[in-house]
Amino acid sequence: MASEEELFANIDALLAEEPQLPPPAERARLREAAGITQARLAQALKSTTQTVKNYENGRSEPKSPRLEAYQRLLNGWAAKYPAHQAPAAPAPAVAPQAPVPQTFTGPAAPEPEVEAAAPVEVPTAPAIPVGRPATSSRRPAAKKAAAPAVDPRFPHGPLAVLDGDGSAFGVDGIVLDCPASTVPELVEWTLRESGLGAGKLNRYGKDSDPLIVLTAAAAVKLGLPERLDGHEQRRSLRLPEDHPVVKQVVKAKWQLTQRGFGPWARIYRKAQGRDRQCVQLAILSWDALDERSWPGVADMEPADIARVLGTYAARVTTPRGSTAVSGLELMTAMRPPTKAVQDPETGNWVSGHNAGSLGTEPMDPAPPEATPEHPVVVSSGWTGGFLNEEAYQWVRPVQTLSDEECTLPFAVGLDLNTAFLAAAARLVVGLSGPDHFHAPTFNPKIPGSWLVDLSHIDLDPRLPSPFMPDGSRPTGPAWYQTHTVAYAQELGHNVTPIEAYLRRETGAYLDPWHDRLRTAYVDTLADLGVTKDLSDAEFLAAMEQHKQADPALAAVLSAIKATVKGGVGKLRERPQGKSYKQGETWPALARPTWRPDIRAAVISKARVNMHRKLNNMVKLTGLYPLAVLSDCVVYPSPGESPLDFLPYATSGKPQPGGFRLGPTPGLAKLEGVQSMLWAVDLMEKGLNPARHIKGGDAVLDEGE
């Protein structure tokens, strides 16, 4: 009988005879399924990004030995991601950088190559059909296009909307019969009979708990009040402990989380082995779905609510609370804190740290990164000031307007798509605790907080200062996040930090979170008819109609945007309640994801990105903004369209560096148009035209 070595040698000989690569389109599909960028692949092949692009569009083919290496990689990917399966959602685990030297002199060590954690296949969501199904069977009402592979453990999807007649509406038109008449019975049915749930988003993560959304009729049938009435219940947003339903839950030996039985109630028992015993409830009539994040969804038919939430669950995550809560928990789901590791002494598999995550233990911030009421600040008596990295809220001084600007007829507002999400891309943040340094040499590659005096930097008063949220000039030494100080250097100014709090271990923690939300945003816009291949004029026309095209999908898009903003805000959740006293801890501090330094990094980078574009617009067009509010900027314009003032080359292509129109995060869309007289009148009253340019009163996206 042939040995294994002989067989492998024969197979290797056959493979070596004539390497065959898959078609160009399949090469691109496999790379995208693995979550690898063209630049990363080019680095691995010791080639260039353009060469990889040529491989994937059929313009060129690799030569030996690169051919054999490329073929081996594609074959490996093909085995993991066959063409009939859904694309994977990778969650790379970022290795820590080299330790930071005490003196911080010279350039930082180059970032190491990052090994991606094995991805987990996540079904993508189809576009949402509108209309309640006429059937009440367990099968879809009509045949649909072939769907992605379904997790056999959860054949009916991640969630269901339960109505008063016992019909539980799931995704893809499925309707289940739920016989439960009490909350404990509902929990038992959900875990044992419903077939609801969703697989983990990372190989080291946990499956998503099934979500049951209750209509008002279903809530009443289960013994719950239609609304939370009474002063105490409204104030605490939960049922009192002596409510009959709460007693039923306790008697059946189920538990409620510290949030109690509120709009988002989580009912659980301790896990048995690998099987979690937890059900998430959401009560619509208790305002579980905030109208600002889920416009119009609470008033939809149960089947349509299931489709909206099901699409969000497939593209983002199964909701477990507000969009802010979902945004924060998505970070942990994409980068779980632990993974199974083998104990070198016993050989047993135990829980160990997952590199690139925030770990399992909360971390005290540096005093300038904390909030004034934080125990670190109060107990230490810190008086050295705080980071002031917030979104722009700036109005240009009226006296700086020229006669030529005042004669322009229109004020046009541009809004940057999910600016915080764009800022989170490839954002290196600290993974370890802060260390304190005096008189360090500034290094733009090291995340942290720097005390530095930028008051000597003289900038054009017609532009907001990039260093202060209100656009004013700094008046002396202040604490800034790394991106803000690096931008001062980029503008040609010397920076000399007085002290700093820096982190030795770093990584792009938010990368998988960014990638998943970016894909969700772009795909949902595409389903609404706003695609990347549109011309700028076509893009503006499509954006004008996209909400009317499909209100259900428009609600998903709104929820995705709210997930981004809310998730960033939850990184620095403040204490709530009149009884809170400064210096006391509050529940959010127990989370490893209470990280105000990461929030500051996102907002600092977003504000710097905005100022860089404002500066480039002056160079390209000579135009200065009238006002900025977070990710919205207002310009004087000769016409009612952004096409009338945005910079374009003679070829018709947008000039690089300025604002560009498009559907991806960081690109711009039209926010609103008003007359120039209207804008000047608001500016003279000290009001911000960017807040009202859309015709209403916009909310400042502070990441709170």
Side-chain angles (χ1 to χ4, degrees), residues 14 16 122-123 135 168 178 239 290 347-348 390 428 483:
L14 289 174
V122 180
T135 180
C178 175
L239 292 178
D290 191 322
N348 296 330
E390 303 294 343
V428 176
H483 282 89

Side-chain angles (χ1 to χ4, degrees), residues 302-338:
D304 294 325
I305 296 173
R307 292 188 181 95
V308 171
L309 297 179
T311 301
Y312 178 88
R315 295 183 176 180
V316 182
T317 186
T318 304
R320 297 182 67 180
S322 67
T323 48
V325 170
S326 297
L328 188 72
E329 296 202 357
L330 179 64
M331 295 179 192
T332 303
M334 300 304 293
R335 280 210 193 275
T338 61

